[in-house]
Amino acid sequence: MQIPYVVVILLFCLGMYTIITKKNLIQIVIGFTISESSLILLFMLVSYKPGGTAPILDKSYELVVDPIPQALALTTIVIGGSVTAVMLALVIKIYKRYGTLNIDEVRKLKG
């Protein structure tokens, strides 16, 4: 039962590693998206209960699933998609202005 949490930790670490070590702006955006996806997976893992049902107005159920983390995951998906779109728009503007996606070259050209 601990394996999914290990996968979440590995995905998050992979995303952070990509953000920290890569020099290409597109790869940095991809690393951010991987980290975000691991957090969404964590929300799903926290809210999952084997044999649980949806909390509908019926008191005969013994085990119900909490819908709050699922709602937070949906909100995270929408916000993450918007943030990714803004980051990609900035990457396009940087490429048009500097002609490169390498972050070190953009820093040199800043002047």
Side-chain angles (χ1 to χ4, degrees), residues 41-81:
L41 182 59
L42 180 65
F43 281 145
M44 292 296 111
L45 287 173
V46 168
S47 68
Y48 176 73
K49 291 182 184 175
T53 58
I56 301 173
L57 301 173
D58 187 9
K59 302 198 190 268
S60 65
Y61 298 121
E62 293 180 14
L63 185 63
V64 294
V65 177
D66 187 15
I68 302 284
Q70 295 173 5
L72 288 173
L74 287 173
T75 305
T76 304
I77 290 168
V78 171
I79 292 172

Side-chain angles (χ1 to χ4, degrees), residues 2-21:
Q2 301 297 332
I3 292 175
Y5 292 104
V6 172
V7 171
V8 167
I9 291 170
L10 289 176
L11 278 175
F12 187 77
C13 290
L14 175 69
M16 286 296 119
Y17 175 78
T18 305
I19 291 170
I20 293 170
T21 61

Side-chain angles (χ1 to χ4, degrees), residues 9 18 23 26 34 36 47-48 73 86-87 95-96 98 101 111:
I9 291 170
T18 305
K23 302 296 181 184
I26 299 291
I34 291 171
E36 173 197 352
S47 68
Y48 176 73
V86 169
M87 285 191 298
Y95 183 75
K96 284 182 180 178
Y98 297 110
L101 292 176

